[in-house]
Amino acid sequence: MHDRMFFTPVAVTVGAGHKRMLASLFDMHQFLTEFPPSRRRLSYGAAVRACEAARDGDISTDAARDALITFAVTAGILWPAAAPVISVKPVARGFGGYAA
């Protein structure tokens, strides 16, 4: 189970602004085991079954990765592919309090 790596890791949100990279079946299994029971949905069970099937060699690691992505999307924890651009622009204020 340790050597079954994903071709492309899956990034998931684990807290406010924090991400966790899942790069193998071991990482996937550990993450799913730690996931809070109160937030589990139907796709959680499918992801667990896919992880077990991939570990046993019944399905490919890519199929297990796809199940993980489906679970992450439905749970709302998939890290966005493109990070949003955040910029801070100073605003000069005039005498009237309006932006110049």
Side-chain angles (χ1 to χ4, degrees), residues 91-100:
V91 176
R93 303 246 177 222
F95 291 107
Y98 297 103

Side-chain angles (χ1 to χ4, degrees), residues 41-59:
R41 305 281 185 253
L42 291 176
S43 59
Y44 171 83
V48 169
R49 287 189 300 278
C51 183
E52 292 171 358
R55 186 182 61 202
D56 294 339
D58 296 335
I59 64 171

Side-chain angles (χ1 to χ4, degrees), residues 30-45:
Q30 187 176 25
F31 176 75
L32 291 172
T33 302
E34 296 169 356
F35 198 75
S38 62
R39 297 189 58 206
R40 296 176 183 177
R41 305 281 185 253
L42 291 176
S43 59
Y44 171 83

Side-chain angles (χ1 to χ4, degrees), residues 2-99:
H2 295 280
D3 60 345
R4 305 284 308 261
M5 303 292 290
F6 298 144
F7 184 72
T8 305
V10 177
V12 293
T13 303
V14 291
H18 300 283
K19 73 177 173 179
R20 181 172 172 182
M21 299 299 289
L22 306 176
S24 66
L25 289 176
F26 177 77
D27 294 341
M28 179 181 175
H29 180 268
Q30 187 176 25
F31 176 75
L32 291 172
T33 302
E34 296 169 356
F35 198 75
S38 62
R39 297 189 58 206
R40 296 176 183 177
R41 305 281 185 253
L42 291 176
S43 59
Y44 171 83
V48 169
R49 287 189 300 278
C51 183
E52 292 171 358
R55 186 182 61 202
D56 294 339
D58 296 335
I59 64 171
S60 68
T61 54
D62 288 335
R65 181 182 178 275
D66 291 342
L68 175 63
I69 291 172
T70 301
F71 163 68
V73 168
T74 58
I77 60 169
L78 185 65
W79 189 265
V85 177
I86 300 173
S87 67
V88 178
K89 182 178 178 182
V91 176
R93 303 246 177 222
F95 291 107
Y98 297 103

